[in-house]
Amino acid sequence: MTPPFQIVLVEDAEPDVFLVREALTSGGVDYHLQVLRDGERGVEYIDEVDAGEAGACPHLLLLDLNLPKKSGAQVLEHMRQSRRCRDVPVVILSSSDSPKDREQTAQLGATAYFRKPSRLDDFMRLGEIVRQLLASPARPA
């Protein structure tokens, strides 16, 4: 698949949505970003893709851990049970650096865990992480 890459971001904080866009652009990622504002909408989106109502699976899912309505962990678990999208790389975005959160998301099948830093230049590293994941030969077609 050629760029632009279809990326879904499940994030309720508008400043973080802005920072993710900035990080992807500064990381040289050619992307189209679809933003879903809560965990319940994330689960519905996965169901819509499985039912053939929302097009193809995204190339990558960026997933906040602390979401309204359903947690990021619940969305991740649902994604890994998806008929069509179970192999899509998922990057967890969280302000938590808790080993428990990292362990839980790893057990649920997260591809990577990115702790949201307080410094802007540290946040911009997300773009490079995403670019490398999308360039990986292990990425599903």
Side-chain angles (χ1 to χ4, degrees):
M1 175 64 64
T2 58
F5 291 105
Q6 302 301 313
I7 299 174
V8 172
L9 169 62
V10 187
E11 172 62 72
D12 60 316
E14 192 59 46
D16 287 346
V17 172
F18 174 80
L19 288 172
V20 166
R21 287 184 195 278
E22 290 295 308
L24 294 174
T25 300
S26 74
V29 178
D30 186 6
Y31 68 95
H32 171 76
L33 188 68
Q34 181 174 354
V35 179
L36 308 175
R37 298 290 175 183
D38 61 61
E40 188 173 85
R41 184 64 195 107
V43 167
E44 289 169 357
Y45 171 81
I46 295 162
D47 289 344
E48 289 166 6
V49 172
D50 276 347
E53 299 166 5
C57 295
H59 295 102
L60 181 76
L61 179 70
L62 297 171
L63 180 59
D64 185 23
L65 207 49
N66 187 17
L67 292 165
K69 300 187 182 178
K70 286 191 184 297
S71 71
Q74 289 172 300
V75 176
L76 174 59
E77 187 172 22
H78 198 75
M79 182 77 151
R80 292 305 181 224
Q81 295 170 353
S82 165
R83 187 172 50 82
R84 295 180 63 201
C85 301
R86 72 174 51 101
D87 296 325
V88 169
V90 177
V91 177
I92 299 297
L93 306 175
S94 179
S95 53
S96 168
D97 203 20
S98 159
K100 179 178 171 252
D101 288 342
R102 288 178 178 271
E103 184 178 319
Q104 178 192 27
T105 56
Q107 287 176 351
L108 291 172
T111 311
Y113 190 103
F114 182 80
R115 190 179 76 69
K116 297 176 187 175
S118 54
R119 293 185 37 183
L120 178 64
D121 54 338
D122 291 338
F123 203 109
M124 293 302 109
R125 288 183 312 126
L126 178 63
E128 176 65 22
I129 292 167
V130 167
R131 193 168 57 70
Q132 289 176 357
L133 277 173
L134 291 172
S136 167
R139 186 174 54 78

